[in-house]
Amino acid sequence: MPIATRLTQRLGVEHPILLAPMDLVADGRLAAAVSRAGGFGLIGGGYGDEAWLAREMDAAGVARVGVGFITWSLARQPRLLDLVLERRPPAIMLSFGEVGSHARKIKQAGALLICQVQTLAQARDATQNGADILVAQGAEAGGHGVSRGTMALVPAVVDVAKDIPVVAAGGIGDGRGLAAALMLGADGVLVGTRFYATQEAAGHADAKNRIVSASGDDTIRGILFDLARRNVWPAPYTGRVLRNAFSERWRGRETELLQHQQAEADRYAQARTSGDFDVAAVIAGEAVDMIGDIPPAQAVVERLVSQAASLLAGASNRYRLLDQS
Ligand SMILES: Cc1cc2nc3c(=O)[nH]c(=O)nc-3n(C[C@H](O)[C@H](O)[C@H](O)COP(=O)(O)O)c2cc1C
C-alpha cells in the first residue's frame, strides 16, 4: 500500500524513499533502480569526477534521478554543477557546507533543492536559502556527518522547517525506521547503508558481504580513513565506517599515523583498488544491524514501504490508550 506524503507530492514519486547520494556507490544504475521502484534515486556526485558523473547520468537513462554533491568540495569546482544542471535533473541535493550561491543557480534551473543538514543552524540556513526539502541526518548514518542522533534531530528540524517537507536519515534500515520517521513528523526517509547492500550498488562484493555480517556495534566514527586517503574534511565532520584491522591498529594514534602518512596512504590506496577491506574502510552506518541479505534495490523499497504501512495500519492494535477519566 503506497504511503503518500508532502514529499511524494513534491518530488512526484510513489514512495517517500530517497536513495542517499553515496560517493561511487550510488551510481546511475542504482539510482535508476530506486526511481523505477517508485522512490527517488540520487547519484553520488561525491568529490566531483566529471567523466564519472557524465557517464553515470547517461547510465540512468530515462529514469528520473537527481544528483547529490558534497557542498564544500563543489566550491572547488562549481563548473560541475553547471554541467549537471544542463541535463535538467528534477532535483539536486547539497550536503556538508553552506548552501550559499549554489541555491540560486539550482532553483533558476528549475530543479528542486534538497539540503542535508546535521544541526538546527544548518536547517535555518537552508530554509533561508530556499531549500525545497530538508534531510535531517543523524550521526547513526554511514559516511560523514556530525554528532546529533536522528531521534531528537528530526522533530527539531521539522519544527524549524514548518511548511518544508523533512526527510529523516541515519540508521534507517527497514520499515520500522520509516514508520518511526513519519511519527517524528518527517515526510519520508533517505537511506544509504541499506541500499549499499543491494545487487545494483557499485560497491565491491566483499564490502557488501561485510555489511551483511556486521553489527552496529562494529561501526565507529572518526577521521582515520580520511587521513589514510588524504581527504581530510573541514570540522566538524567525521565519518562512520565499519571497524577493521586498519582502524584497530591506528585508532587513538592519529598523530602517529600522520607521521607515516605517505607509506600508509599508498598502502590504503592499493587496498581500495584491490578490495582489501582489512585496510580500506567500508563506509556504513548503524543500520547494518538490520541488513541480512543483498537483494535488488526494488525489493528494499518494497519491504520498507510494506512493513511501514502494516505497522502504521496496525498501530492501534499494538497499544492500549487507557481512558482514566
Ligand atoms: C557508502 C556511503 C557513502 C556516502 N557518501 C556520501 C556522499 O558522497 N555525499 C553525501 O551527501 N552523503 C553521503 N553519505 C551519507 C548519506 O547521504 C546519508 O546521510 C546516510 O547514508 C544515511 O544514513 P544510513 O547510511 O544509515 O542510511 C554516504 C553514506 C554511505 C553509507
Side-chain angles (χ1 to χ4, degrees):
M1 188 195 301
I3 301 172
T5 67
R6 294 184 301 177
L7 178 74
T8 56
Q9 200 180 13
R10 189 152 300 189
L11 276 175
V13 296
E14 191 180 358
H15 303 306
I17 296 169
L18 272 53
L19 164 69
M22 296 176 280
D23 178 38
L24 301 179
V25 173
D27 64 358
R29 181 167 172 242
L30 178 59
V34 171
S35 289
R36 274 197 303 272
F40 188 72
L42 285 152
I43 294 175
Y47 302 96
D49 180 330
E50 204 175 303
W52 183 88
L53 200 48
R55 197 180 67 224
E56 297 309 324
M57 288 190 82
D58 288 342
V62 295
R64 272 182 87 243
V65 301
V67 174
F69 288 107
I70 294 171
T71 321
W72 64 262
S73 172
L74 185 62
R76 294 178 182 168
Q77 39 184 339
R79 203 176 100 78
L80 216 57
L81 180 59
D82 299 329
L83 291 177
V84 169
L85 288 174
E86 276 168 20
R87 291 169 177 249
R88 301 253 156 237
I92 295 287
M93 177 165 149
L94 298 177
S95 310
F96 314 121
E98 285 187 10
V99 180
S101 59
H102 306 306
R104 201 169 2 97
K105 225 187 234 184
I106 292 168
K107 295 183 69 96
Q108 273 169 1
L112 291 171
L113 172 61
I114 306 175
C115 295
Q116 180 161 243
V117 302
Q118 292 82 26
T119 65
L120 297 185
Q122 289 174 352
R124 283 186 206 104
D125 174 63
T127 56
Q128 279 156 16
N129 278 289
D132 298 293
I133 295 165
L134 293 185
V135 179
Q137 186 215 38
E140 297 91 321
H144 290 88
V146 186
S147 55
R148 294 203 51 179
T150 307
M151 183 83 170
L153 180 65
V154 169
V157 171
V158 167
D159 290 344
V160 168
K162 300 198 172 71
D163 294 336
I164 302 170
V166 174
V167 174
I172 292 154
D174 63 23
R176 291 173 294 184
L178 171 54
L182 296 174
M183 289 299 100
L184 291 175
D187 297 277
V189 291
L190 175 123
V191 175
T193 301
R194 174 61 274 196
F195 281 121
Y196 194 157
T198 58
Q199 287 171 17
E200 294 90 342
H204 196 281
D206 188 33
K208 295 181 188 180
N209 289 333
R210 284 179 187 235
I211 288 175
V212 169
S213 317
S215 137
D217 293 357
D218 303 323
T219 69
I220 45 167
R221 283 201 85 84
I223 61 165
L224 267 180
F225 71 113
D226 278 339
L227 289 177
R229 58 182 189 169
R230 294 185 172 283
N231 180 35
V232 177
W233 277 48
Y237 301 107
T238 59
R240 187 176 293 281
V241 299
L242 299 186
R243 257 180 232 275
N244 63 6
F246 182 88
S247 67
E248 293 315 284
R249 175 166 168 226
W250 290 108
R251 200 136 75 105
R253 296 167 56 209
E254 282 78 4
T255 314
E256 215 180 315
L257 174 63
L258 281 175
Q259 284 157 4
H260 297 86
Q261 199 176 22
Q262 184 60 56
E264 288 301 323
D266 291 347
R267 203 162 79 87
Y268 195 90
Q270 270 171 22
R272 284 184 85 188
T273 311
S274 66
D276 173 1
F277 295 106
D278 285 332
V279 176
V282 175
I283 299 177
E286 293 184 19
V288 291
D289 278 324
M290 287 158 268
I291 300 175
D293 59 359
I294 303 172
Q298 180 181 357
V300 170
V301 172
E302 284 168 2
R303 287 181 207 167
L304 278 162
V305 174
S306 66
Q307 190 186 11
S310 78
L311 284 170
L312 293 167
S316 59
N317 301 327
R318 294 168 62 87
Y319 315 101
R320 272 193 313 135
L321 296 177
L322 301 177
D323 184 358
Q324 306 211 314
S325 61

